[in-house]
């Protein structure tokens, strides 16, 4: 299996995408596949650059045993060369990534997180920022399902 690089992308890079990174990294660890993947996350805007994930996201993550230590950073055009897959959380993220992609060849690297769901039916990982605790729990439910589906897909295809 060649090393596969994945960039999870959301709007602020303080809730959904660092959570996706944490979930995917734990799955890799459980399967002993850490050295086969390079995983990072980024946001379409850089308002929170350098910050840890949102304290609410970290608290909900912690209840399920995840320690989120990512530092917020924006998506760069060079990420389209550096990563094999750039995975957005909702339609707005996909549109933002398409606008940022330097060429059509880079655009084919853009994926939607919910395309990898195998249990829950949804077409977006909704922004939990202005909502309550249930929204954060739902984000983790979706990401645990989708990250598992993503890893199974990648293992099957290689
Ligand atoms: P995220 O959530 O895209 O899942 O990180 C958000 C975080 C911050 C903001 C919006 C969404 N914000 O507008 O600051």
């Amino acid at each position: 299996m060649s090393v596969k690089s994945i960039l999870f992308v959301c709007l602020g890079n303080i809730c959904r995408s660092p959570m996706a990174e944490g979930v995917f990294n734990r799955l890799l660890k459980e399967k002993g596949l850490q050295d086969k993947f390079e995983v990072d996350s980024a946001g379409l805007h850089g308002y929170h650059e350098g910050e840890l994930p949102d304290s609410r996201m970290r608290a909900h993550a912690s209840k399920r045993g995840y320690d989120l230590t990512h530092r917020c950073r924006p998506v760069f055009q060079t990420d389209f060369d550096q990563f094999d897959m750039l995975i957005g959380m909702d339609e707005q993220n996909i549109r933002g990534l398409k606008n940022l992609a330097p060429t059509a060849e880079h655009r084919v690297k853009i994926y939607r997180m919910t395309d990898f769901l195998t249990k829950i039916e949804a077409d977006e990982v909704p922004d939990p920022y202005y909502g309550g605790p249930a929204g954060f729990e739902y984000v983790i439910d979706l990401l645990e399902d989708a990250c598992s589906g993503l890893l199974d897909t990648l293992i099957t295809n290689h």
Side-chain angles (χ1 to χ4, degrees), residues 10-18 45 47-48 127-130:
C10 62
L11 183 60
N13 191 216
I14 54 167
C15 296
R16 294 165 292 174
S17 60
H45 70 56
Y47 297 160
H48 301 274
D127 184 348
Y129 194 70
Y130 295 104

PDB file of all heavy atoms in Angstrom, residues 10-18 45 47-48 127-130, ligand 1:
ATOM      1  N   CYS A  10     -12.891  21.944   6.522  1.00  0.00           N
ATOM      2  CA  CYS A  10     -14.186  22.555   6.852  1.00  0.00           C
ATOM      3  C   CYS A  10     -14.027  24.070   6.758  1.00  0.00           C
ATOM      4  O   CYS A  10     -13.048  24.554   6.156  1.00  0.00           O
ATOM      5  CB  CYS A  10     -14.694  22.097   8.217  1.00  0.00           C
ATOM      6  SG  CYS A  10     -13.631  22.544   9.599  1.00  0.00           S
ATOM      7  N   LEU A  11     -14.953  24.815   7.325  1.00  0.00           N
ATOM      8  CA  LEU A  11     -14.885  26.267   7.191  1.00  0.00           C
ATOM      9  C   LEU A  11     -13.829  26.868   8.126  1.00  0.00           C
ATOM     10  O   LEU A  11     -12.917  27.575   7.695  1.00  0.00           O
ATOM     11  CB  LEU A  11     -16.269  26.861   7.478  1.00  0.00           C
ATOM     12  CG  LEU A  11     -16.417  28.368   7.315  1.00  0.00           C
ATOM     13  CD1 LEU A  11     -16.092  28.790   5.886  1.00  0.00           C
ATOM     14  CD2 LEU A  11     -17.827  28.808   7.684  1.00  0.00           C
ATOM     15  N   GLY A  12     -13.955  26.573   9.413  1.00  0.00           N
ATOM     16  CA  GLY A  12     -13.101  27.250  10.400  1.00  0.00           C
ATOM     17  C   GLY A  12     -11.888  26.470  10.854  1.00  0.00           C
ATOM     18  O   GLY A  12     -10.992  27.021  11.483  1.00  0.00           O
ATOM     19  N   ASN A  13     -11.860  25.144  10.570  1.00  0.00           N
ATOM     20  CA  ASN A  13     -10.785  24.233  11.033  1.00  0.00           C
ATOM     21  C   ASN A  13     -10.642  24.241  12.559  1.00  0.00           C
ATOM     22  O   ASN A  13      -9.547  24.066  13.087  1.00  0.00           O
ATOM     23  CB  ASN A  13      -9.437  24.557  10.353  1.00  0.00           C
ATOM     24  CG  ASN A  13      -8.366  23.491  10.587  1.00  0.00           C
ATOM     25  OD1 ASN A  13      -7.191  23.805  10.721  1.00  0.00           O
ATOM     26  ND2 ASN A  13      -8.733  22.247  10.622  1.00  0.00           N
ATOM     27  N   ILE A  14     -11.769  24.444  13.245  1.00  0.00           N
ATOM     28  CA  ILE A  14     -11.712  24.316  14.711  1.00  0.00           C
ATOM     29  C   ILE A  14     -12.766  23.334  15.240  1.00  0.00           C
ATOM     30  O   ILE A  14     -12.766  23.031  16.426  1.00  0.00           O
ATOM     31  CB  ILE A  14     -11.847  25.677  15.438  1.00  0.00           C
ATOM     32  CG1 ILE A  14     -13.100  26.417  14.994  1.00  0.00           C
ATOM     33  CG2 ILE A  14     -10.598  26.527  15.246  1.00  0.00           C
ATOM     34  CD1 ILE A  14     -13.441  27.606  15.891  1.00  0.00           C
ATOM     35  N   CYS A  15     -13.665  22.868  14.380  1.00  0.00           N
ATOM     36  CA  CYS A  15     -14.658  21.890  14.842  1.00  0.00           C
ATOM     37  C   CYS A  15     -14.588  20.607  14.017  1.00  0.00           C
ATOM     38  O   CYS A  15     -14.004  19.606  14.446  1.00  0.00           O
ATOM     39  CB  CYS A  15     -16.071  22.468  14.799  1.00  0.00           C
ATOM     40  SG  CYS A  15     -16.321  23.863  15.928  1.00  0.00           S
ATOM     41  N   ARG A  16     -15.194  20.614  12.823  1.00  0.00           N
ATOM     42  CA  ARG A  16     -15.396  19.360  12.093  1.00  0.00           C
ATOM     43  C   ARG A  16     -14.118  18.728  11.556  1.00  0.00           C
ATOM     44  O   ARG A  16     -13.882  17.523  11.741  1.00  0.00           O
ATOM     45  CB  ARG A  16     -16.389  19.590  10.939  1.00  0.00           C
ATOM     46  CG  ARG A  16     -17.781  19.930  11.407  1.00  0.00           C
ATOM     47  CD  ARG A  16     -18.639  20.496  10.300  1.00  0.00           C
ATOM     48  NE  ARG A  16     -18.189  21.809   9.882  1.00  0.00           N
ATOM     49  CZ  ARG A  16     -18.664  22.502   8.872  1.00  0.00           C
ATOM     50  NH1 ARG A  16     -19.623  21.964   8.123  1.00  0.00           N
ATOM     51  NH2 ARG A  16     -18.220  23.696   8.586  1.00  0.00           N
ATOM     52  N   SER A  17     -13.277  19.517  10.862  1.00  0.00           N
ATOM     53  CA  SER A  17     -12.117  18.864  10.222  1.00  0.00           C
ATOM     54  C   SER A  17     -11.048  18.391  11.213  1.00  0.00           C
ATOM     55  O   SER A  17     -10.480  17.311  11.011  1.00  0.00           O
ATOM     56  CB  SER A  17     -11.527  19.724   9.104  1.00  0.00           C
ATOM     57  OG  SER A  17     -11.083  20.972   9.575  1.00  0.00           O
ATOM     58  N   PRO A  18     -10.760  19.129  12.312  1.00  0.00           N
ATOM     59  CA  PRO A  18      -9.808  18.548  13.267  1.00  0.00           C
ATOM     60  C   PRO A  18     -10.385  17.316  13.963  1.00  0.00           C
ATOM     61  O   PRO A  18      -9.647  16.404  14.338  1.00  0.00           O
ATOM     62  CB  PRO A  18      -9.542  19.681  14.269  1.00  0.00           C
ATOM     63  CG  PRO A  18     -10.596  20.700  14.037  1.00  0.00           C
ATOM     64  CD  PRO A  18     -11.102  20.524  12.653  1.00  0.00           C
ATOM     65  N   HIS A  45     -11.429  29.399   5.817  1.00  0.00           N
ATOM     66  CA  HIS A  45     -10.997  30.722   6.267  1.00  0.00           C
ATOM     67  C   HIS A  45     -10.036  30.565   7.439  1.00  0.00           C
ATOM     68  O   HIS A  45     -10.003  29.531   8.100  1.00  0.00           O
ATOM     69  CB  HIS A  45     -12.150  31.669   6.559  1.00  0.00           C
ATOM     70  CG  HIS A  45     -12.981  31.344   7.767  1.00  0.00           C
ATOM     71  ND1 HIS A  45     -12.436  31.207   9.024  1.00  0.00           N
ATOM     72  CD2 HIS A  45     -14.316  31.177   7.910  1.00  0.00           C
ATOM     73  CE1 HIS A  45     -13.396  30.966   9.889  1.00  0.00           C
ATOM     74  NE2 HIS A  45     -14.551  30.921   9.246  1.00  0.00           N
ATOM     75  N   TYR A  47      -9.668  32.548  10.237  1.00  0.00           N
ATOM     76  CA  TYR A  47      -9.961  33.425  11.386  1.00  0.00           C
ATOM     77  C   TYR A  47      -9.330  32.929  12.678  1.00  0.00           C
ATOM     78  O   TYR A  47      -9.038  33.710  13.575  1.00  0.00           O
ATOM     79  CB  TYR A  47     -11.472  33.535  11.628  1.00  0.00           C
ATOM     80  CG  TYR A  47     -12.279  34.148  10.518  1.00  0.00           C
ATOM     81  CD1 TYR A  47     -13.657  33.930  10.453  1.00  0.00           C
ATOM     82  CD2 TYR A  47     -11.689  34.948   9.541  1.00  0.00           C
ATOM     83  CE1 TYR A  47     -14.416  34.481   9.430  1.00  0.00           C
ATOM     84  CE2 TYR A  47     -12.446  35.498   8.519  1.00  0.00           C
ATOM     85  CZ  TYR A  47     -13.803  35.258   8.469  1.00  0.00           C
ATOM     86  OH  TYR A  47     -14.556  35.791   7.464  1.00  0.00           O
ATOM     87  N   HIS A  48      -9.197  31.610  12.800  1.00  0.00           N
ATOM     88  CA  HIS A  48      -8.731  31.042  14.072  1.00  0.00           C
ATOM     89  C   HIS A  48      -7.323  30.463  13.960  1.00  0.00           C
ATOM     90  O   HIS A  48      -6.942  29.597  14.744  1.00  0.00           O
ATOM     91  CB  HIS A  48      -9.712  29.970  14.551  1.00  0.00           C
ATOM     92  CG  HIS A  48     -11.105  30.472  14.764  1.00  0.00           C
ATOM     93  ND1 HIS A  48     -11.512  31.043  15.953  1.00  0.00           N
ATOM     94  CD2 HIS A  48     -12.173  30.550  13.929  1.00  0.00           C
ATOM     95  CE1 HIS A  48     -12.777  31.413  15.847  1.00  0.00           C
ATOM     96  NE2 HIS A  48     -13.200  31.125  14.627  1.00  0.00           N
ATOM     97  N   ASP A 127     -22.336  22.265  10.201  1.00  0.00           N
ATOM     98  CA  ASP A 127     -21.536  23.157  11.046  1.00  0.00           C
ATOM     99  C   ASP A 127     -22.148  23.224  12.447  1.00  0.00           C
ATOM    100  O   ASP A 127     -23.284  23.664  12.595  1.00  0.00           O
ATOM    101  CB  ASP A 127     -21.557  24.535  10.366  1.00  0.00           C
ATOM    102  CG  ASP A 127     -20.682  25.545  11.079  1.00  0.00           C
ATOM    103  OD1 ASP A 127     -20.251  25.262  12.210  1.00  0.00           O
ATOM    104  OD2 ASP A 127     -20.438  26.606  10.487  1.00  0.00           O
ATOM    105  N   PRO A 128     -21.423  22.801  13.492  1.00  0.00           N
ATOM    106  CA  PRO A 128     -22.013  22.790  14.840  1.00  0.00           C
ATOM    107  C   PRO A 128     -21.791  24.081  15.611  1.00  0.00           C
ATOM    108  O   PRO A 128     -22.254  24.233  16.735  1.00  0.00           O
ATOM    109  CB  PRO A 128     -21.223  21.659  15.521  1.00  0.00           C
ATOM    110  CG  PRO A 128     -19.855  21.778  14.928  1.00  0.00           C
ATOM    111  CD  PRO A 128     -20.044  22.242  13.493  1.00  0.00           C
ATOM    112  N   TYR A 129     -21.083  25.049  14.997  1.00  0.00           N
ATOM    113  CA  TYR A 129     -20.531  26.194  15.732  1.00  0.00           C
ATOM    114  C   TYR A 129     -21.581  26.997  16.486  1.00  0.00           C
ATOM    115  O   TYR A 129     -21.360  27.381  17.630  1.00  0.00           O
ATOM    116  CB  TYR A 129     -19.768  27.100  14.756  1.00  0.00           C
ATOM    117  CG  TYR A 129     -18.884  28.123  15.421  1.00  0.00           C
ATOM    118  CD1 TYR A 129     -17.720  27.734  16.094  1.00  0.00           C
ATOM    119  CD2 TYR A 129     -19.182  29.477  15.376  1.00  0.00           C
ATOM    120  CE1 TYR A 129     -16.895  28.665  16.698  1.00  0.00           C
ATOM    121  CE2 TYR A 129     -18.356  30.418  15.978  1.00  0.00           C
ATOM    122  CZ  TYR A 129     -17.222  30.011  16.632  1.00  0.00           C
ATOM    123  OH  TYR A 129     -16.403  30.933  17.229  1.00  0.00           O
ATOM    124  N   TYR A 130     -22.731  27.253  15.846  1.00  0.00           N
ATOM    125  CA  TYR A 130     -23.743  28.097  16.492  1.00  0.00           C
ATOM    126  C   TYR A 130     -24.856  27.287  17.149  1.00  0.00           C
ATOM    127  O   TYR A 130     -25.865  27.844  17.580  1.00  0.00           O
ATOM    128  CB  TYR A 130     -24.329  29.093  15.482  1.00  0.00           C
ATOM    129  CG  TYR A 130     -23.289  30.081  15.001  1.00  0.00           C
ATOM    130  CD1 TYR A 130     -22.716  29.972  13.740  1.00  0.00           C
ATOM    131  CD2 TYR A 130     -22.841  31.107  15.840  1.00  0.00           C
ATOM    132  CE1 TYR A 130     -21.736  30.855  13.310  1.00  0.00           C
ATOM    133  CE2 TYR A 130     -21.860  31.986  15.422  1.00  0.00           C
ATOM    134  CZ  TYR A 130     -21.320  31.859  14.162  1.00  0.00           C
ATOM    135  OH  TYR A 130     -20.348  32.728  13.756  1.00  0.00           O
TER     136      TYR A 130
HETATM  137  P1  LIG B   1     -15.948  24.341  11.545  1.00  0.00           P
HETATM  138  O1  LIG B   1     -16.954  25.273  12.380  1.00  0.00           O
HETATM  139  O2  LIG B   1     -16.018  24.803  10.099  1.00  0.00           O
HETATM  140  O3  LIG B   1     -16.515  22.966  11.724  1.00  0.00           O
HETATM  141  O4  LIG B   1     -14.571  24.520  12.157  1.00  0.00           O
HETATM  142  C1  LIG B   1     -16.842  26.676  12.375  1.00  0.00           C
HETATM  143  C2  LIG B   1     -15.965  27.286  13.226  1.00  0.00           C
HETATM  144  C3  LIG B   1     -15.864  28.680  13.241  1.00  0.00           C
HETATM  145  C4  LIG B   1     -16.658  29.426  12.415  1.00  0.00           C
HETATM  146  C5  LIG B   1     -17.533  28.806  11.540  1.00  0.00           C
HETATM  147  C6  LIG B   1     -17.620  27.426  11.515  1.00  0.00           C
HETATM  148  N1  LIG B   1     -16.572  30.845  12.469  1.00  0.00           N
HETATM  149  O5  LIG B   1     -17.344  31.494  11.743  1.00  0.00           O
HETATM  150  O6  LIG B   1     -15.755  31.384  13.201  1.00  0.00           O
END
